[in-house]
Amino acid sequence: MKRIGVFTSGGDSPGMNACIRAVVRAAVYHGIEVYGIHRGYKGMVKGEIYKMDSHSVSNIIQKGGTILRSARSREFMTPEGRKLAYEQLQEHGIEGLIAIGGDGTFTGANIFFEEYGIPTVGAPGTIDNDLYGTDYTIGYDTAVNTALDAIDKIRDTADSHDRVFFIEVMGRDSGYIAIPCAIGGGAEIVMIPETETSIDYVVDTLRTGWNRSKTSFIVIVAEGDDAGNATEVAAKVQQELPHMDARVTILGHVQRGGSPTAADRMLASQMGVACVEGLLQGRKCEMAGIINKELVYTPFIDTITKDKLINPQYVRLVDILSV
Ligand code: F6P
């Protein structure tokens, strides 16, 4: 393999730049050419493909976002779009790809390989940490610390005003962000998609705390919780407890930005090198990851179809620690 392409796709995450840097530097180290594909599959279809070298990735390891930009492409989901993408890769002589993203990104790469035989190795890039095949994803540690910083600040004002705050964190399908935010932020309740939390339970817990003279509360709600998002949960609870002064804070995309933590820079750097070396070893349709401190490669099909379950004991921990 003489020439590869690298791209970021789906929701950006802090550490993607550190991973791009590692891919480019590892390619240079191994004597292969590397091209950056801008805006993920969208840019691949359109031919937004540019040569990179060691200098193209100087001074980016500490930066949030992705210098390659990111997108979610509808066109690549169609056979016509993938044909155009293949033609662009052919035109640029690209023989293998490195995809930094989540399960949507790897689903696309799998189909692309079946249709056109272009091998892709993936790096787990998402703040959600819900990818099977790695203990941690690039950006997760930073996102949790960003959210925690905000929660600490909200705790100050919640305490001052005797209020209950419903704080929504990201995680459409997973409580990976919510759990450390709740435990680390000293929350009274955590609501995550993986476990059912009834509104009655939330009301009872707040009422019991109130009757014990507790006057401020933090409830962490993962955006995809089955009881609703933070706004919906707060409205339902407020109906039952009208004497409580409730507020809602949606942390939203602030969790996706910012300078990556040391842990994310380390992981991203390891993953970038592992992707290049994986491609050179002849791997295809596999994601690099770290499990129990060891580098592993997991077939895309497993990362896409298997669930990385969160330990339900963590919810119990929040209960115990908030008595
Ligand atoms: O997958 C990462 C993520 O940040 C999720 O936690 C969130 O639900 C989603 O992306 C938001 O996507 P968008 O940026 O398209 O609104």
Side-chain angles (χ1 to χ4, degrees):
M1 193 169 288
K2 286 272 165 277
R3 191 177 286 177
I4 63 170
V6 57
F7 63 98
T8 48
S9 171
D12 62 347
S13 67
M16 278 186 163
N17 279 329
C19 191
I20 296 165
R21 171 182 179 269
V23 167
V24 172
R25 297 261 160 104
V28 172
Y29 178 87
H30 286 289
I32 53 174
E33 289 185 317
V34 59
Y35 279 66
I37 302 166
H38 290 205
R39 298 184 176 78
Y41 292 120
K42 201 171 180 182
M44 199 185 291
V45 170
K46 289 199 175 128
E48 293 183 46
I49 303 173
Y50 309 98
K51 192 166 186 328
M52 298 181 88
D53 62 23
S54 205
H55 295 300
S56 343
V57 290
S58 297
N59 197 21
I60 64 165
I61 193 168
Q62 77 284 16
K63 292 188 175 145
T66 159
I67 60 161
L68 293 178
R69 309 287 186 271
S70 195
R72 305 189 204 265
S73 168
R74 283 185 193 285
E75 216 178 345
F76 192 79
M77 290 179 192
T78 67
E80 297 75 27
R82 291 193 292 277
K83 181 166 179 287
L84 288 174
Y86 176 68
E87 286 165 2
Q88 289 294 348
L89 295 185
Q90 286 287 93
E91 203 168 294
H92 289 85
I94 291 171
E95 300 160 277
L97 293 171
I98 290 171
I100 308 168
D103 52 3
T105 307
F106 304 148
T107 304
N110 237 1
I111 299 170
F112 201 46
F113 178 75
E114 279 164 22
E115 290 176 347
Y116 295 104
I118 300 276
T120 300
V121 175
T126 164
I127 63 164
D128 292 345
N129 199 35
D130 57 352
L131 277 179
Y132 180 89
T134 189
D135 288 340
Y136 297 105
T137 55
I138 299 164
Y140 172 64
D141 187 65
T142 309
V144 167
N145 280 292
T146 300
L148 208 47
D149 184 50
I151 292 162
D152 288 346
K153 290 175 175 144
I154 292 168
R155 172 69 79 184
D156 291 344
T157 177
D159 266 352
S160 307
H161 284 267
D162 297 334
R163 281 176 171 158
V164 50
F165 268 84
F166 294 84
I167 304 176
E168 184 176 303
V169 296
M170 276 187 168
R172 270 176 303 205
D173 309 310
S174 119
Y176 272 101
I177 296 179
I179 288 289
C181 284
I183 295 172
E188 278 68 30
I189 299 167
V190 63
M191 303 176 74
I192 60 172
E194 292 90 341
T195 61
E196 208 184 314
T197 317
S198 70
I199 295 295
D200 286 348
Y201 170 81
V202 178
V203 169
D204 284 349
T205 307
L206 295 177
R207 188 181 281 129
T208 308
W210 185 267
N211 291 340
R212 282 194 294 110
S213 309
K214 210 166 183 171
T215 52
S216 71
F217 303 83
I218 301 279
V219 181
I220 303 291
V221 186
E223 62 179 332
D225 190 73
D226 48 5
N229 59 31
T231 310
E232 291 160 348
V233 170
K236 290 176 198 167
V237 170
Q238 187 84 84
Q239 269 188 349
E240 303 297 319
L241 301 171
H243 58 286
M244 277 194 163
D245 195 6
R247 293 289 185 278
V248 176
T249 304
I250 299 167
L251 295 183
H253 287 77
V254 72
Q255 294 160 96
R256 289 242 294 260
S259 182
T261 58
D264 274 330
R265 295 181 203 194
M266 270 294 288
L267 178 64
S269 301
Q270 285 175 283
M271 293 297 91
V273 173
C275 283
V276 172
E277 295 187 340
L279 260 188
L280 293 178
Q281 289 157 11
R283 292 183 186 276
K284 43 187 88 75
C285 298
E286 287 177 59
M287 183 192 81
I290 302 278
I291 297 182
N292 292 332
K293 301 194 171 75
E294 296 290 334
L295 172 64
V296 291
Y297 293 91
T298 304
F300 282 159
I301 194 68
D302 289 343
T303 67
I304 297 160
T305 55
K306 293 189 178 170
D307 288 331
K308 185 166 95 181
L309 298 174
I310 197 157
N311 187 343
Q313 287 301 321
Y314 286 134
V315 176
R316 199 173 152 256
L317 207 58
V318 175
D319 273 357
I320 293 173
L321 295 176
S322 65
V323 288

